[in-house]
Amino acid sequence: MLERLSRGWAITKASWSVLKQHPKLMLLPMASSLALITLLAIIGAGGYMGHKAGLFTQVLQADSQIPFGFYAVLFAIYVVCSFIIVFFNAAMVFCSLQAFNGEEPSISKGLATAMGRLPQILAWALLASTVGVLLSAVQEFLKDKLSIFGSLLGSLLEASWALVTYFVVPVLVVDGVNPFEAVKRSGAILKKTWGEQLAGQAGMSAISFLLLLPVFLLVVVAMITFKASVPVVGWMLAAAAVPYVLAVFLVFATLGAIFRTGTYVYATTGKAPEAIGADLVASAFRKKK
């Protein structure tokens, strides 16, 4: 645990040095989050209006089972959300590559590059969403049949997929290949260079978890104030916690993208970006035994 925290702290500091030099990189995860929030708000408003108009009641009365179209709409929303995330991640990869090359990152060029890879990004969003749904279904099936062992096996399958596709977005940006080829190249890069067990990202996640611990304390205090009939204090605490959580989320989303791009550079060229360092990049992955 201490080793993971130490590695995570070192990775966070190295990635932070890049973000500190180019704070504009934060604009991309902010834009991604804003786009997702806007999309979900529109969907929520449409759902509320449909509910008030009695559309859902009419559909359920016409057929006691949930219609296939409902699931199709949910899947379409899932794909669009995935597309938004991948699109801005692709722009982030391009801007990170600029920073590693000693250039000033250009948000407009990053977005233009993502636009240039629009077919590949859309295809990958569709593939990733489909696999995600299938893996969830498989996990539920295994859980029903094998209980806790099924859950563990399902989680292992999901983790394996996440690992194999770790470099997909950088491959899409740099090589412009189709998503199947991108998955193949991503797995080959990872297997050839480091093996199969990713550790660096887990260390960074541990650091972000520690930074979020004060929020849990605020939640407890807020709950106590609500029960004590002092809601004003509770709402003030909640108002303070929300921007803090958002800030931590956005910062670590940016740091994670920066480091992932750095590992990709090292994996494909054999040279680590100066801001990251070869030893730190190599320590992000456990080698096969």
Side-chain angles (χ1 to χ4, degrees):
M1 181 62 180
L2 291 178
E3 179 184 356
R4 176 178 296 181
L5 288 175
S6 177
R7 183 189 299 111
W9 180 246
I11 291 172
T12 300
K13 287 197 302 181
S15 302
W16 175 258
S17 67
V18 178
L19 179 57
K20 185 178 180 180
Q21 187 176 0
H22 307 288
K24 67 171 69 175
L25 293 176
M26 281 283 293
L27 293 175
L28 290 170
M30 289 174 64
S32 177
S33 300
L34 182 60
L36 287 171
I37 292 172
T38 302
L39 173 65
L40 295 178
I42 293 173
I43 294 171
Y48 176 77
M49 294 175 63
H51 172 70
K52 295 294 288 186
L55 296 179
F56 299 147
T57 302
Q58 294 176 15
V59 171
L60 292 176
Q61 286 178 346
D63 188 349
S64 59
Q65 295 183 346
I66 298 177
F68 174 78
F70 178 77
Y71 292 108
V73 170
L74 288 181
F75 180 73
I77 294 172
Y78 185 22
V79 172
V80 173
C81 290
S82 178
F83 169 80
I84 291 173
I85 293 171
V86 176
F87 179 85
F88 285 101
N89 279 346
M92 174 66 77
V93 167
F94 179 84
C95 291
S96 297
L97 288 172
Q98 284 187 307
F100 291 145
N101 289 331
E103 305 172 24
E104 180 64 27
S106 171
I107 301 299
S108 60
K109 289 184 179 179
L111 293 174
T113 300
M115 285 295 297
R117 296 286 189 255
L118 209 57
Q120 293 90 339
I121 292 174
L122 182 57
W124 168 240
L126 181 59
L127 175 61
S129 299
T130 302
V131 173
V133 170
L134 291 176
L135 286 175
S136 296
V138 169
Q139 187 172 30
E140 285 299 317
F141 175 79
L142 292 174
K143 182 179 179 180
D144 291 339
K145 297 298 182 181
L146 301 175
S147 187
I148 187 173
F149 297 105
S151 296
L152 292 174
L153 182 58
S155 298
L156 181 61
L157 290 174
E158 290 185 343
S160 299
W161 171 250
L163 187 60
V164 169
T165 59
Y166 186 77
F167 289 121
V168 162
V169 176
V171 170
L172 289 177
V173 172
V174 176
D175 300 333
V177 296
N178 66 68
F180 297 100
E181 180 64 23
V183 172
K184 180 180 177 181
R185 293 189 186 186
S186 174
I189 291 171
L190 190 65
K191 185 176 181 179
K192 177 182 177 180
T193 312
W194 289 292
E196 299 175 349
Q197 294 187 1
L198 181 63
Q201 209 73 23
M204 188 177 288
S205 297
I207 297 297
S208 64
F209 175 77
L210 290 178
L211 291 175
L212 288 174
L213 282 179
V215 176
F216 295 111
L217 179 60
L218 283 178
V219 170
V220 172
V221 175
M223 292 176 63
I224 293 174
T225 59
F226 278 120
K227 288 185 177 181
S229 300
V230 192
V232 175
V233 177
W235 286 117
M236 290 177 62
L237 292 174
V242 170
Y244 177 77
V245 172
L246 288 176
V248 172
F249 170 77
L250 292 173
V251 167
F252 274 85
T254 309
L255 297 181
I258 290 171
F259 184 72
R260 182 174 307 204
T261 305
T263 59
Y264 172 79
V265 171
Y266 180 73
T268 54
T269 67
K271 297 180 180 179
E274 184 177 349
I276 303 295
D279 292 340
L280 183 57
V281 173
S283 72
F285 296 82
R286 301 182 192 278
K287 294 184 178 180
K288 286 182 178 179
K289 295 182 179 180

